[in-house]
Amino acid sequence: VEADVCRLADAPSQTRCGTPLHFYSNIDFKEEIPSVRNAGAEGVGLFRSENLFIDNTKPPQEAEQQAYYSDMAEALAPDPLVIRLFDIGGDKLIYSSIREPNPNLGWRGIRILIDVPDILDSQLLAILKANTRRNIQVLMPMISSIEEITQIRTTLERHVLALRESGTTCDMPKIGAMIEIPAAVLLIDEITKMVDFISIGTNDLTQYTLAVDRNNEIVQDLFDKFHPAIIRQLHTIITTANRNSCKVSLCGDMGSDPLALPFLLGCGLREFSIVSADIAQLKSIARYLTVDSSRQLAEACLTLDSAAKIKERLKEYQAQHV
Ligand code: PEP
Ligand code: MG
């Protein structure tokens, strides 16, 4: 596997049976764009835009955002740039000075954007104005209800119309939802009929499903993405999205785990967004896998009732195939 890694950076990615896979990069800053290119990614699948917050507390001005997004979109075009709307609050940036007893269950992500229209409006306008190459897509963080999606979409449409009326050419960008809260998994049929794409956030999905703080060392042993409750949700999310012809990718850290790859493939996932440095290794492992054997593996994992048994099964598969 290691010998293949360098060679594969530029090769199109596919499994042993010839099924194409698509790898995109997760990035925090525009300075990472050259490494996206070098890693052989097909674009940016997750830009964590909250990194633009000034001193971790103040939202950047619309003009500043527009210039930043525009530089990125230009450098990547025609490949996609998925900008996730500011995911502030929780364990991330402290936008407000209010101290919350349970920040991860508090004012975070889409909740702040809906409550503070100035922040949402300036980000959406900056995105729409920067989208001259038409390769920007908008990703909504921390979605837990249908109403949140409707509100953001309505706001976006209103801005598109207003910009057109003022003479600016502007398209409605593709809009997607992060699936990272169990409530969104239970609504996945509806959600995948409302959006252009979904992106699975396994870091928060693990945290919120297992009620284990992703940053609390005391309970890190319990933070296990191979827990059957996660494995089964992933299968539901991916199969439902595919059935509803909604594009689905995964942008949580799980996408970088070679052990998880055949399971995800077997569920029907074909798009991954991961840190650039891991792409070559994942591409090289994919070349040992077949869709048929991965499908059997996924089905077997769905019948197992513990993370230990699931990991054992995945290791067996890896030993046989990779
Ligand atoms: C996730 O939750 O898995 C994710 C990709 O988003 P973040 O790690 O930025 O919360
Ligand atoms: Mg998240």
Side-chain angles (χ1 to χ4, degrees), residues 84 87 92 108 142 178 180 201 203-205 214:
R84 185 175 67 186
D87 187 6
K92 302 189 181 208
R108 180 181 162 187
M142 290 288 290
M178 284 291 296
E180 52 185 347
N203 309 334
D204 278 308
L205 189 60
R214 60 194 272 188

Side-chain angles (χ1 to χ4, degrees), residues 21-293:
L21 300 186
H22 304 279
F23 288 93
Y24 301 89
S25 291
N26 289 351
I27 64 168
D28 291 337
F29 298 100
K30 70 174 179 185
E31 287 71 19
E32 292 169 69
I33 300 273
S35 64
V36 171
R37 287 266 164 265
N38 292 337
E42 294 182 52
V44 167
L46 170 65
F47 166 52
R48 291 182 165 99
S49 69
E50 57 275 7
N51 288 299
L52 295 184
F53 264 56
I54 303 147
D55 301 329
N56 283 358
T57 56
K58 282 189 287 301
Q61 298 288 313
E62 182 193 311
E64 199 184 319
Q65 288 185 60
Q66 183 187 336
Y68 198 99
Y69 303 149
S70 178
D71 283 354
M72 293 172 90
E74 193 70 40
L76 285 163
D79 289 339
L81 165 62
V82 177
I83 300 180
R84 185 175 67 186
L85 300 178
F86 300 132
D87 187 6
I88 42 181
D91 61 308
K92 302 189 181 208
L93 305 170
I94 315 299
Y95 160 67
S96 80
S97 54
I98 304 165
R99 278 185 56 112
E100 298 177 76
N102 289 304
N104 275 325
L105 301 179
W107 209 33
R108 180 181 162 187
I110 206 74
R111 301 168 182 181
I112 298 183
L113 298 176
I114 286 172
D115 292 347
V116 189
D118 279 358
I119 299 184
L120 177 64
D121 290 338
S122 62
Q123 187 167 33
L124 293 180
L125 282 167
I127 289 173
L128 291 173
K129 290 177 188 170
N131 194 21
T132 53
R133 302 295 301 263
R134 301 189 170 132
N135 59 335
I136 303 184
Q137 304 179 15
V138 174
L139 179 58
M140 301 171 282
M142 290 288 290
I143 290 296
S144 66
S145 75
I146 298 301
E147 288 86 344
E148 289 164 345
I149 298 175
T150 310
Q151 281 200 51
I152 302 296
R153 183 187 282 285
T154 308
T155 309
L156 195 52
E157 284 167 352
R158 184 164 48 78
H159 287 309
V160 169
L161 286 179
L163 282 174
R164 280 186 192 153
E165 269 162 27
S166 72
T168 312
T169 38
C170 144
D171 285 337
M172 180 70 187
K174 289 207 163 73
I175 181 163
M178 284 291 296
I179 304 299
E180 52 185 347
I181 299 180
V185 181
L186 291 164
L187 295 171
I188 198 67
D189 188 47
E190 288 87 344
I191 291 176
T192 50
K193 288 173 182 161
M194 294 175 78
V195 294
D196 301 301
F197 67 99
I198 57 166
S199 190
I200 308 171
T202 49
N203 309 334
D204 278 308
L205 189 60
T206 306
Q207 157 166 274
Y208 292 123
T209 299
L210 304 179
V212 175
D213 184 337
R214 60 194 272 188
N215 297 311
N216 181 340
E217 280 179 20
I218 302 170
V219 285
Q220 276 324 283
D221 289 357
L222 298 174
F223 189 87
D224 195 337
K225 59 188 182 293
F226 293 111
H227 190 294
I230 307 295
I231 290 298
R232 293 177 197 188
Q233 285 184 85
L234 290 170
H235 181 259
T236 302
I237 299 166
I238 297 162
T239 51
T240 309
N242 285 338
R243 192 178 66 233
N244 289 340
S245 306
C246 177
K247 271 173 89 73
V248 49
S249 76
L250 185 146
C251 66
D253 294 345
M254 189 175 195
S256 283
D257 190 332
L259 211 53
L261 182 64
F263 170 77
L264 296 168
L265 195 65
C267 290
L269 191 70
R270 301 290 179 261
E271 297 198 4
F272 301 82
S273 191
I274 61 180
V275 291
S276 300
D278 292 338
I279 290 179
Q281 191 198 18
L282 269 285
K283 276 188 179 183
S284 75
I285 291 170
R287 297 182 79 89
Y288 292 91
L289 311 177
T290 62
V291 167
D292 272 355
S293 68

